[in-house]
Amino acid sequence: MRIDVVSIFPEYLAPLELSLIGKARQDGILDLNVHDLREFTTDKHRSVDDTPYGGGAGMVMKAEPWAQALSTVAAARAGDAARKPVLIVPSPAGERFTQALAHELAGEEQLVFACGRYEGIDERVIEWAEEHFTVRPMSLGDYVLNGGEVAVLAMTEAIVRLLPGVVGNPESLVEESHSDGLLEYPVYTKPSSWRDREVPPVLLSGNHGKIAQWRRHQQYRRTAQRRPDLLAEFDAGNLPRADRTAL
Ligand SMILES: CN1CCC[C@H](Cn2ccc3ccc(-c4n[nH]c(N)c4C#N)cc32)C1
């Protein structure tokens, strides 16, 4: 997978050199390219913003630097030339980023992220970009950040970790939160007794059927307690009757 990120703060993306994402880059699984938007300006002040038409607080990001940057990225396309790369525009006004979307986007050959700042990017850029990209405004969550970079860090990690060869044990991707519509079960490790708190005995039993049943039940309990909205969506018909009464 190729990922291109355009930002006025390229150093914000430095954490993508670390840990599993960094290893994916070293292993050739991920080709990550970060571009400084100011490299695509032409004035001596390297201007990327200006005052908003219609008035209002703050500044808006100018269209031309973005068009120059995104055209350069589009030209460096990876994979099937007939398939437009996906341009993800982090925005509080975007579709909500979810684990399902992470899986969908992990199937793309190239992703481009446009990190806005100030009050956002001139809307005509989004309209123009449709010629070269499949444009998807996307929100990390229902709260306001100061720009798109934090969202790109989170989205990139959520997507890239799903690529084959990135996570050591692919099994761990199966039972994690949101992978099957439920929250993940609690985990424990040595020592079995810690500050008078014991590991649930079933986990020490060696009975894999009972352990699996206990873990599934914990998933339902946690989801019911912490995210009843998810349980409403989840097909409760999968829930064994004994587990339902215990919720
Ligand atoms: C129009 N608003 C006004 C308030 C300040 C905003 C700053 N900003 C500028 C670019 C930009 C990009 C993403 C996000 C963002 N916020 N929350 C999320 N989940 C996001 C995501 N993805 C925020 C951003 C812009």
Side-chain angles (χ1 to χ4, degrees), residues 109-137:
E109 292 168 327
Q110 182 175 7
L111 299 175
V112 182
F113 288 96
C115 295
R117 279 274 157 173
Y118 307 104
E119 293 308 304
I121 302 171
D122 186 310
E123 189 64 17
R124 291 170 291 180
V125 174
I126 311 305
E127 296 163 7
W128 164 86
E130 289 287 359
E131 298 167 27
H132 306 276
F133 302 92
T134 300
V135 182
R136 299 187 72 168

Side-chain angles (χ1 to χ4, degrees), residues 90-92 116-120 138-141 143-148 151 155:
S91 165
R117 279 274 157 173
Y118 307 104
E119 293 308 304
M138 210 161 281
S139 170
L140 194 57
Y143 38 81
V144 181
L145 302 168
N146 286 332
M155 293 175 185

Side-chain angles (χ1 to χ4, degrees), residues 123-209:
E123 189 64 17
R124 291 170 291 180
V125 174
I126 311 305
E127 296 163 7
W128 164 86
E130 289 287 359
E131 298 167 27
H132 306 276
F133 302 92
T134 300
V135 182
R136 299 187 72 168
M138 210 161 281
S139 170
L140 194 57
D142 294 339
Y143 38 81
V144 181
L145 302 168
N146 286 332
E149 288 80 4
V150 165
V152 171
L153 289 173
M155 293 175 185
T156 298
E157 180 161 308
I159 294 163
V160 171
R161 67 192 294 274
L162 299 175
L163 298 178
V166 175
V167 170
N169 176 8
E171 272 296 300
S172 64
L173 297 176
V174 173
E175 293 183 323
E176 59 190 8
S177 284
H178 306 291
S179 62
D180 59 1
L182 296 175
L183 301 184
E184 58 203 31
Y185 50 75
V187 291
Y188 303 82
T189 189
K190 301 182 187 63
S192 63
S193 181
W194 175 75
R195 296 191 183 191
D196 296 330
R197 297 175 187 276
E198 311 303 319
V199 169
V202 66
L203 298 181
L204 309 178
S205 69
N207 182 328
H208 297 295

Side-chain angles (χ1 to χ4, degrees), residues 3 9-10 78 101 154 203:
I3 292 181
F9 296 125
L101 268 178
L203 298 181

Side-chain angles (χ1 to χ4, degrees), residues 1-236:
M1 174 182 280
R2 176 176 172 134
I3 292 181
D4 291 88
V5 185
V6 182
S7 167
I8 59 173
F9 296 125
E11 62 276 17
Y12 225 111
L13 287 304
L16 296 178
E17 294 164 13
L18 306 173
S19 188
L20 289 181
I21 308 302
K23 187 171 184 308
R25 297 172 72 180
Q26 291 165 9
D27 294 348
I29 298 171
L30 172 66
D31 174 14
L32 178 70
N33 306 272
V34 181
H35 309 268
D36 182 346
L37 182 67
R38 291 192 192 277
E39 295 298 317
F40 298 91
T41 59
T42 52
D43 64 306
K44 68 178 179 179
H45 299 299
R46 295 160 62 94
S47 306
V48 293
D49 64 301
D50 207 330
T51 53
Y53 278 119
M59 303 292 273
V60 173
M61 300 192 92
K62 296 167 61 67
E64 188 57 23
W66 277 108
Q68 294 296 332
L70 294 176
S71 298
T72 300
V73 167
R77 118 184 3 241
D80 176 2
R83 183 182 173 88
K84 292 193 287 187
V86 176
L87 173 64
I88 298 170
V89 184
S91 165
E95 64 180 303
R96 181 70 179 274
F97 182 72
T98 62
Q99 186 69 9
L101 268 178
H103 277 283
E104 178 190 330
L105 295 168
E108 294 291 338
E109 292 168 327
Q110 182 175 7
L111 299 175
V112 182
F113 288 96
C115 295
R117 279 274 157 173
Y118 307 104
E119 293 308 304
I121 302 171
D122 186 310
E123 189 64 17
R124 291 170 291 180
V125 174
I126 311 305
E127 296 163 7
W128 164 86
E130 289 287 359
E131 298 167 27
H132 306 276
F133 302 92
T134 300
V135 182
R136 299 187 72 168
M138 210 161 281
S139 170
L140 194 57
D142 294 339
Y143 38 81
V144 181
L145 302 168
N146 286 332
E149 288 80 4
V150 165
V152 171
L153 289 173
M155 293 175 185
T156 298
E157 180 161 308
I159 294 163
V160 171
R161 67 192 294 274
L162 299 175
L163 298 178
V166 175
V167 170
N169 176 8
E171 272 296 300
S172 64
L173 297 176
V174 173
E175 293 183 323
E176 59 190 8
S177 284
H178 306 291
S179 62
D180 59 1
L182 296 175
L183 301 184
E184 58 203 31
Y185 50 75
V187 291
Y188 303 82
T189 189
K190 301 182 187 63
S192 63
S193 181
W194 175 75
R195 296 191 183 191
D196 296 330
R197 297 175 187 276
E198 311 303 319
V199 169
V202 66
L203 298 181
L204 309 178
S205 69
N207 182 328
H208 297 295
K210 287 285 187 191
I211 291 170
Q213 185 183 44
W214 179 88
R215 284 175 166 172
R216 194 66 172 161
H217 176 64
Q218 295 303 314
Q219 281 187 274
Y220 283 111
R221 277 191 65 215
R222 264 188 171 185
T223 307
Q225 289 165 354
R226 300 178 186 176
R227 291 294 304 275
D229 57 301
L230 291 180
L231 206 56
E233 287 170 29
F234 187 77
D235 170 17

